[in-house]
Amino acid sequence: MNQVDVVAHPNVALVKYWGKRDELEKIPASPSLSITLGGLETRTSVTEASADTVVINGKTIADQKILQWLGWVRHQYDIPRLKIDSSNNFPTNCGFASSSSGFAAMAVGINELCRLDLNLVSLARVTRFGSASAVRSLLSGYVTMHPDTEECAPVQLVAPEYWELSVVAAVTSTEPKPTSSTSGMARTVATSPFFEKWVDSTSDDFERCKQAIHRRNFDLLAEISEANCYRMHALMMSTDPPLRYWSAGTMNAIDTIERLRHDRVPVFFTSDAGPQIKAICPPEVLPTVRRALEDTDGVLSTLESDIGNAPTLSAS
Amino acid sequence: MNQVDVVAHPNVALVKYWGKRDELEKIPASPSLSITLGGLETRTSVTEASADTVVINGKTIADQKILQWLGWVRHQYDIPRLKIDSSNNFPTNCGFASSSSGFAAMAVGINELCRLDLNLVSLARVTRFGSASAVRSLLSGYVTMHPDTEECAPVQLVAPEYWELSVVAAVTSTEPKPTSSTSGMARTVATSPFFEKWVDSTSDDFERCKQAIHRRNFDLLAEISEANCYRMHALMMSTDPPLRYWSAGTMNAIDTIERLRHDRVPVFFTSDAGPQIKAICPPEVLPTVRRALEDTDGVLSTLESDIGNAPTLSAS
């Protein structure tokens, strides 16, 4: 086996992770819950090479985050020098969680190519040292990650078929984010007066969100997810200096979603460390939601997705 | 004396008040610090009438907030039925603190017309029962209000001449705010997990802001004011359901101010319960700031102001 190809999907959290409890072991401070986005793909090939090499979307780049992570993995396990060649069918590094699918794909690919035979807990740990959010991309459907249980490995709450929902991602910018999630989180933990209360309230949201999904209660899921999203952006804005990831396009997209809901279209939004908006809705209103977002000032394009699968492998 | 005319000015807080400690006595939970905006005016005449009548910007309206307040004042003091006729030279009821100049003007006018001879503490209490922020419009220059001192009366920190600064207000909407400050604050106190920490951190900001003004340290004032403003909007967004007062125009105006500062123009922003942005800068860069804001997408118009005076009276 000379090459392993992996297809992995980013995930979007409905109950968000922002801030670590343990910087050394990269353990999040609070539990999170996400859906894996089947329609958005990262294709990654992993091969042996004479030196660690990273190619993203066709360009060789000295990505320090990935190169340092490869060094860390090599320190843990007996792996050769590797070439990583990864492409996304969605914007990279601007709030679409390309690092979640990226690190999940790399971890799965290295595990296979190097015959490490890691169990899910160990695979999650390797993934987490690249990106904690990426751990949730190791599984399909509705996925939880809890710092206090399962050694912080991902757990599938329910499969995609349990509740079919659609996601429309509204792209409002393809610029890289001004502050990386890693450094933004560290700044938040160090300076926000709200951080402790964020952790407490997110734990409450997590329990309620699991109930909403078990019951397939869309209105409750919408209420919890939007409040949690607003509270994460509030947390970011409360740091010193403040972190603002939202733009004019973001506000217009939120206005559109509020207007749709006012017109009785079942839809809610979430948004991560970037100006993009992800709208979640039942499949039957997806065309309506997509059209409304495409007609929104400041929305450059939209992507659509269902709730998707775990990474898939092929070797050659 | 049949009629008293008052000119009063709104104020804009650099360290914000959001949320009451005591709903009965209308006492804010935290100290605040504002500048009185000389260029924005409310002109109010108070006359005896056969029934309480409120005319705002030329229209007779059944403004329950004002009518209930008049009833409360009558319950405290021996005052006749009154006609209030008030006009603003700036947008009303959408985040420009028209209630601050309005209630300050009415309190001062009633005190004069009815010869109540109230001292500042009593005048502040009467004003506070209309709007707590309005208390700061009773004085000129840089004004503080602290729940634990001076019976919550306003205190002039320094006069306008101590440090001449200019304000450019960017109007991004003239729609009334979706949620009034009074009910937004009550919702915040009842539901935000961040409220207690907001109160603590605002008390810190208050002390630091006083120092920045005493030292005329613009960069420090900018840093404290913007962080406090972001934290208030964060607090609002953390309520259940979330309160969002910012719009696309707001984000564009903030982008403009960040760009100006990047180009070494000394300027910072603040924003209250509405989508408007107020830019604060030294007088010499006012034309630059005003032009940049007028060229900003979503900014409908701008108003300019210096740091102004206490209400002025004339009787006829």
Side-chain angles (χ1 to χ4, degrees):
Chain A
M1 187 162 49
N2 297 315
Q3 177 170 331
V4 167
D5 297 306
V6 188
V7 176
H9 306 285
N11 67 78
V12 60
L14 302 182
V15 176
K16 309 281 189 192
Y17 147 56
W18 191 260
K20 291 181 181 62
R21 167 195 296 182
D22 180 343
E23 279 285 347
L24 225 62
E25 269 294 312
K26 315 283 183 198
I27 307 284
S30 54
S32 54
L33 190 160
S34 65
I35 48 182
T36 300
L37 301 180
L40 277 55
E41 282 185 3
T42 296
R43 294 180 169 270
T44 302
S45 70
V46 184
T47 43
E48 268 202 59
S50 54
D52 284 342
T53 313
V54 177
V55 181
I56 305 275
N57 295 328
K59 277 192 193 142
T60 302
I61 52 171
D63 186 310
Q64 288 311 308
K65 198 171 156 71
I66 297 176
L67 291 170
Q68 283 174 17
W69 176 74
L70 285 173
W72 176 87
V73 178
R74 185 167 300 114
H75 193 72
Q76 310 288 312
Y77 301 100
D78 180 29
I79 65 167
R81 305 283 153 179
L82 295 170
K83 179 181 176 192
I84 306 287
D85 189 336
S86 196
S87 304
N88 302 315
N89 75 347
F90 58 95
T92 298
N93 208 18
C94 57
F96 273 115
S98 56
S99 69
S100 70
S101 45
F103 279 102
M106 289 188 285
V108 167
I110 292 169
N111 185 39
E112 182 72 12
L113 184 80
C114 306
R115 301 177 194 281
L116 303 182
D117 206 19
L118 302 177
N119 64 12
L120 185 62
V121 168
S122 300
L123 187 64
R125 183 166 182 268
V126 167
T127 307
R128 190 173 76 231
F129 270 77
S131 156
S133 298
V135 168
R136 295 183 311 246
S137 278
L138 293 172
L139 298 180
S140 67
Y142 297 75
V143 180
T144 65
M145 173 170 62
H146 199 301
D148 295 334
T149 53
E150 316 285 343
E151 301 180 57
C152 210
V155 174
Q156 187 190 65
L157 183 67
V158 292
E161 304 76 49
Y162 183 81
W163 192 8
E164 287 180 7
L165 290 176
S166 296
V167 179
V168 181
V171 182
T172 65
S173 166
T174 53
E175 298 285 310
K177 48 180 108 165
T179 309
S180 77
S181 297
T182 305
S183 70
M185 283 185 198
R187 192 199 294 177
T188 302
V189 176
T191 69
S192 170
F194 298 164
F195 183 67
E196 210 176 307
K197 294 294 176 182
W198 154 256
V199 171
D200 292 349
S201 63
T202 296
S203 299
D204 294 345
D205 289 344
F206 179 74
E207 295 304 327
R208 292 178 65 221
C209 193
K210 285 200 294 185
Q211 293 301 318
I213 291 166
H214 277 305
R215 294 175 194 161
R216 300 188 188 87
N217 183 332
F218 188 84
D219 290 347
L220 186 59
L221 184 68
E223 180 202 314
I224 297 165
S225 302
E226 282 197 2
N228 184 265
C229 172
Y230 268 118
R231 216 178 304 117
M232 180 179 75
H233 284 269
L235 176 70
M236 292 160 164
M237 281 165 46
S238 74
T239 61
D240 184 18
L243 283 167
R244 173 175 65 99
Y245 286 106
W246 282 354
S247 67
T250 317
M251 295 293 116
N252 284 333
I254 295 176
D255 287 345
T256 294
I257 285 162
E258 289 180 352
R259 187 173 47 70
L260 284 167
R261 197 157 50 207
H262 182 262
D263 295 343
R264 299 179 186 277
V265 177
V267 58
F268 68 88
F269 76 89
T270 191
S271 168
D272 295 287
Q276 328 299 352
I277 284 289
K278 292 100 173 185
I280 292 101
C281 60
E284 58 270 24
V285 299
L286 184 139
T288 307
V289 171
R290 187 165 190 176
R291 210 174 313 119
L293 283 169
E294 282 181 344
D295 288 348
T296 298
D297 199 33
V299 172
L300 308 176
S301 62
T302 62
L303 304 163
E304 68 178 63
S305 180
D306 54 1
I307 298 186
N309 288 317
T312 51
L313 268 168
S314 57
S316 52
Chain B
M1 187 162 49
N2 298 315
Q3 177 170 331
V4 168
D5 297 306
V6 188
V7 176
H9 306 285
N11 67 78
V12 60
L14 302 182
V15 176
K16 309 281 188 192
Y17 147 56
W18 191 261
K20 291 181 181 61
R21 167 196 296 181
D22 179 343
E23 279 285 346
L24 226 62
E25 269 294 313
K26 315 283 184 199
I27 307 284
S30 54
S32 54
L33 190 160
S34 65
I35 48 182
T36 300
L37 301 180
L40 277 54
E41 282 186 3
T42 296
R43 293 180 170 269
T44 302
S45 70
V46 184
T47 43
E48 268 202 58
S50 54
D52 284 343
T53 313
V54 177
V55 181
I56 305 275
N57 295 328
K59 277 192 193 143
T60 302
I61 52 171
D63 186 310
Q64 288 311 309
K65 197 171 156 73
I66 297 176
L67 291 170
Q68 283 174 18
W69 176 74
L70 285 173
W72 177 87
V73 178
R74 185 167 300 113
H75 193 73
Q76 310 288 312
Y77 301 100
D78 180 29
I79 64 167
R81 305 283 153 179
L82 295 170
K83 179 182 176 189
I84 306 287
D85 189 336
S86 195
S87 304
N88 302 315
N89 75 346
F90 59 94
T92 298
N93 207 20
C94 57
F96 273 115
S98 56
S99 69
S100 70
S101 45
F103 279 102
M106 289 188 284
V108 167
I110 292 169
N111 184 39
E112 182 72 11
L113 184 80
C114 306
R115 301 176 194 281
L116 302 182
D117 206 19
L118 302 178
N119 64 12
L120 184 62
V121 168
S122 300
L123 187 63
R125 183 166 182 268
V126 166
T127 307
R128 191 173 75 231
F129 270 77
S131 156
S133 298
V135 168
R136 295 183 311 246
S137 278
L138 293 172
L139 298 179
S140 67
Y142 297 75
V143 180
T144 65
M145 174 171 61
H146 199 302
D148 295 334
T149 53
E150 315 285 343
E151 301 180 57
C152 210
V155 174
Q156 187 190 66
L157 183 67
V158 292
E161 301 75 37
Y162 183 81
W163 192 8
E164 287 181 6
L165 290 176
S166 296
V167 179
V168 181
V171 182
T172 65
S173 167
T174 53
E175 298 285 309
K177 47 180 108 166
T179 308
S180 77
S181 297
T182 305
S183 70
M185 283 185 199
R187 192 199 295 178
T188 302
V189 176
T191 69
S192 170
F194 297 163
F195 184 67
E196 210 176 307
K197 294 294 176 182
W198 154 257
V199 171
D200 291 349
S201 64
T202 297
S203 299
D204 295 345
D205 289 345
F206 179 75
E207 295 304 327
R208 292 178 66 221
C209 193
K210 285 200 294 185
Q211 294 301 318
I213 291 166
H214 278 305
R215 294 174 194 162
R216 300 188 189 88
N217 183 332
F218 188 84
D219 290 348
L220 186 60
L221 185 68
E223 180 201 314
I224 297 165
S225 302
E226 283 197 1
N228 185 265
C229 171
Y230 268 117
R231 217 178 304 117
M232 180 179 75
H233 284 270
L235 176 71
M236 293 160 163
M237 281 165 45
S238 74
T239 61
D240 185 17
L243 284 166
R244 173 175 64 99
Y245 286 105
W246 282 354
S247 67
T250 316
M251 295 293 115
N252 284 332
I254 295 176
D255 287 345
T256 293
I257 285 161
E258 289 179 352
R259 187 174 47 70
L260 284 168
R261 198 157 50 208
H262 182 263
D263 295 342
R264 299 178 186 278
V265 177
V267 58
F268 68 88
F269 77 89
T270 192
S271 168
D272 295 288
Q276 328 299 352
I277 284 289
K278 292 99 174 186
I280 292 102
C281 60
E284 58 270 24
V285 299
L286 184 138
T288 306
V289 171
R290 188 166 189 176
R291 209 174 314 118
L293 283 169
E294 281 181 345
D295 287 348
T296 298
D297 198 33
V299 172
L300 308 176
S301 62
T302 62
L303 304 163
E304 67 178 62
S305 180
D306 54 1
I307 298 187
N309 288 317
T312 51
L313 268 168
S314 57
S316 52

